[in-house]
Amino acid sequence: MSQVTGVSIKVHPDDNVAIVVDAGGLSAGSLLADGVELLDAVPQGHKVALEDIVREQPVLRYGEVIGYALEDIARGRWVNEGMLRMPEAPSLDTLPLATRRPPMFEPLDDYTFEGFRNNDGSVGTRNVLGIATSVQCVAGVTDHVVQRIKRELLPRFPNVDDVVGLTHSYGCGVAINAPAAIVPIRTLQNLARNPNLGGEVMVVGLGCEKLQPQRLVEPPVLPGTTAGQAAPASILSLQDERFAGFAAMVDGIMAMAEAHLEKLNRRTRETCPASELVVGMQCGGSDAFSGLTANPAVGFAADLIVRAGGSVMFSEVTEVRDAIHLLTPRVADEETGRALLREMAWYDDYLRHGSADRSANTTPGNKKGGLANIVEKAMGSIIKSGNSPIVDVIGPGERIRRRGLTFAATPASDFICGTLQLAAGMNMHVFTTGRGTPYGLAMVPVIKVATNSRLARQWFDLIDVDAGRIATGDASIEDIGWEIFRLILDVASGRQDVAADRLGLHNDLVLFNPAPVT
Ligand code: CA
């Protein structure tokens, strides 16, 4: 009987493990191309030892130490998470800053999309009425009104794509003056300024809450000034004496919405350079293919956007922390490097206060998909950032300030990261997934990229791009990277829908509140 020959991928010449590509995995006795015979059955996406590894010897993937062997591991054995001791996270005190010479990239001209220009200089990819809210108490009423507006008003305003209630769990019962409360507060302020809302934001408040609705539309007070110009917003409080009962509240909000819809309906798309793109990159439900297929392709697309003069954000502190030594050389200057290290240190402290560390990040699904620990996950995660220099670092809930590649410090938790990237001002979102998540956001289109073709086939109507073709040799990283870049331009122009929008799948906004509640 002839032996089965399996397909495996070794990422870096120094690696002593490879990943099994074959759908369904490989049985014991299978041969790999370089002559390794499997001693165990190895599931798809999991690691096989390419040489004998003795106890305490490092296990290398991506040319980086992802763990130390807890036992002797023979060539051909399945290397699973129970056989590895996780390394310490890199110290933040001794890292080289801005030492890498940036790659020489040819600028990319002539790429455009059809977008909605805003008065503040940003560009929207959708024309959406946003109804901001100051407190969870008003969420039920707001959701009710959003449904009524969709049924009764939107059909009269054909240039408006949607109406979205920016409901959330914050606003009252919180330590509003605690230093860390600035994070959820500025997140809500900046969500209302997202380019897809066109500056026509209205706010529904209750009246007695700690986060008074005016604060959501106050312009930031810059050093040396007393107050900025007020944003053109409308504010309504449900406790207002003029509302006798529920129907009156609903009528009041509907009337306010109609005035904003009339203004939004006058907006039209115009040709904008690709430099107006602000693309947030994220991954969720990762597997061992994430770092081989989808994330490298997204990283390639990120570099294309930067070459076109656009803005790209990558995030997810706990998935960056163990790869920080690979990022600090890439910062544009030492000040940006120090900002990056400050965000890492802040998050180390945040986790320590909760008696946790970055290893709390990995999920049972990650491990089933072949990721042994957060170190291996991080090495695959940061590839989304491509090769460009990191020109800026922003804190959670802050707005993006520069074109090029920005690190937006956020938790890795999918909807918190997405919400914070919305607040930062993204107008397109790219999300890679290996295990599968039906992720979607109401304010900004989300392009979902599968890391493996099994998922892309199983979720044929939920996934937008199949990057699994890279693992099977049917496409290159560059092919899929260009496909993602072109799809971003098509979706940004409204020429093409993403799966989540076709199916109407939109997740909640989820705030990051590191401050106490009362
Ligand atoms: Ca995530």
Side-chain angles (χ1 to χ4, degrees):
M1 207 178 84
S2 66
Q3 279 182 310
V4 174
T5 303
V7 180
S8 63
I9 294 180
K10 174 179 170 177
V11 184
H12 189 278
D14 295 345
D15 291 357
N16 52 14
V17 293
I19 303 301
V20 167
V21 172
D22 302 74
L26 289 173
S27 52
S30 305
L31 270 185
L32 301 182
D34 47 3
V36 176
E37 181 175 342
L38 297 195
L39 302 178
D40 301 311
V42 181
Q44 185 190 31
H46 283 249
K47 290 175 284 299
V48 55
L50 298 176
E51 56 193 63
D52 291 335
I53 302 170
V54 297
R55 189 162 172 264
E56 286 303 318
Q57 192 187 329
V59 172
L60 296 164
R61 192 181 166 204
Y62 303 104
E64 297 286 327
V65 179
I66 61 165
Y68 297 94
L70 288 170
E71 57 190 89
D72 291 343
I73 304 172
R75 180 179 194 240
R77 283 203 64 197
W78 174 21
V79 181
N80 60 49
E81 78 266 13
M83 297 154 90
L84 299 184
R85 176 170 59 78
M86 197 169 78
E88 294 294 311
S91 162
L92 297 176
D93 301 328
T94 53
L95 294 170
L97 303 181
T99 48
R100 190 195 68 163
R101 185 194 294 266
M104 295 297 287
F105 280 145
E106 286 281 305
L108 270 186
D109 300 321
D110 305 330
Y111 287 91
T112 62
F113 68 103
E114 303 298 309
F116 297 96
R117 283 201 179 276
N118 296 317
N119 291 334
D120 67 358
S122 66
V123 172
T125 59
R126 292 289 182 271
N127 189 21
V128 175
L129 172 65
I131 303 183
T133 62
S134 55
V135 67
Q136 166 66 20
C137 311
V138 305
V141 174
T142 304
D143 288 343
H144 176 92
V145 175
V146 164
Q147 295 309 316
R148 289 255 326 248
I149 294 172
K150 285 186 181 185
R151 281 197 309 271
E152 297 171 29
L153 296 181
L154 266 191
R156 288 172 36 212
F157 301 100
N159 291 338
V160 181
D161 294 309
D162 204 0
V163 52
V164 177
L166 281 58
T167 56
H168 56 84
S169 58
Y170 198 70
C172 210
V174 293
I176 198 106
N177 294 320
I182 188 65
V183 172
I185 294 171
R186 74 185 175 205
T187 302
L188 289 170
Q189 290 167 336
N190 288 332
L191 279 172
R193 297 187 182 115
N194 183 276
N196 282 9
L197 305 184
E200 286 301 324
V201 173
M202 49 185 275
V203 185
V204 175
L206 183 62
C208 58
E209 65 272 34
K210 284 188 179 150
L211 181 64
Q212 286 289 297
Q214 290 79 3
R215 287 193 70 180
L216 295 190
V217 289
E218 273 169 7
V221 179
L222 301 171
T225 64
T226 47
Q229 195 187 349
S234 313
I235 297 172
L236 178 150
S237 291
L238 299 187
Q239 290 169 348
D240 193 317
E241 287 172 7
R242 69 194 162 104
F243 299 132
F246 174 65
M249 293 173 189
V250 172
D251 288 347
I253 301 171
M254 296 276 285
M256 189 179 279
E258 191 164 355
H260 286 280
L261 286 168
E262 268 164 19
K263 287 194 212 162
L264 286 172
N265 199 48
R266 291 198 281 273
R267 303 175 82 210
T268 52
R269 290 187 184 270
E270 57 187 282
T271 303
C272 302
S275 57
E276 302 293 1
L277 288 172
V278 183
V279 184
M281 304 300 190
Q282 205 203 151
C283 54
S286 297
D287 66 2
F289 288 104
S290 297
L292 295 176
T293 59
N295 290 351
V298 163
F300 189 86
D303 286 339
L304 295 177
I305 295 160
V306 171
R307 286 170 60 189
S311 308
V312 175
M313 283 181 275
F314 74 113
S315 297
E316 304 178 283
V317 174
T318 48
E319 292 172 14
V320 161
R321 180 64 182 85
D322 282 277
I324 192 65
H325 58 296
L326 304 177
L327 294 175
T328 54
R330 286 177 53 192
V331 295
D333 51 55
E334 291 195 5
E335 189 187 337
T336 307
R338 283 190 291 272
L340 184 59
L341 294 175
R342 268 198 307 277
E343 293 297 342
M344 296 298 122
W346 185 94
Y347 219 94
D348 282 354
D349 274 349
Y350 168 73
L351 289 170
R352 201 176 300 122
H353 279 127
S355 303
D357 68 20
R358 84 282 191 215
S359 69
N361 171 296
T362 34
T363 66
N366 291 152
K367 290 178 180 173
K368 200 171 171 211
L371 291 172
N373 56 35
I374 185 59
V375 183
E376 184 178 10
K377 188 174 173 180
M379 296 308 159
S381 177
I382 60 155
I383 302 175
K384 296 194 298 294
S385 67
N387 259 310
S388 307
I390 300 165
V391 298
D392 202 8
V393 172
I394 59 173
E398 287 187 325
R399 266 197 128 184
I400 196 164
R401 296 176 289 219
R402 292 192 191 146
R403 292 178 200 273
L405 179 67
T406 288
F407 180 70
T410 79
S413 177
D414 293 350
F415 304 104
I416 296 180
C417 173
T419 299
L420 292 168
Q421 289 189 344
L422 284 171
M426 76 170 164
N427 53 22
M428 283 295 304
H429 198 24
V430 178
F431 186 88
T432 69
T433 183
R435 307 297 300 166
T437 158
Y439 182 108
L441 297 174
M443 286 164 66
V444 165
V446 180
I447 293 173
K448 286 206 293 299
V449 183
T451 71
N452 62 81
S453 298
R454 181 199 56 76
L455 173 67
R457 277 193 299 273
Q458 186 185 345
W459 282 19
F460 60 94
D461 51 358
L462 288 156
I463 294 293
D464 298 291
V465 177
D466 174 13
R469 290 174 285 157
I470 296 167
T472 53
D474 296 313
S476 66
I477 287 168
E478 292 78 7
D479 293 338
I480 305 289
W482 275 104
E483 184 179 327
I484 292 168
F485 177 67
R486 293 203 170 91
L487 184 59
I488 289 170
L489 294 172
D490 283 343
V491 172
S493 302
R495 288 190 290 264
Q496 193 159 345
D497 273 338
V498 294
D501 290 346
R502 271 198 300 278
L503 298 168
L505 304 180
H506 295 140
N507 290 90
D508 291 342
L509 298 172
V510 186
L511 293 180
F512 181 38
N513 178 21
V517 295
T518 63

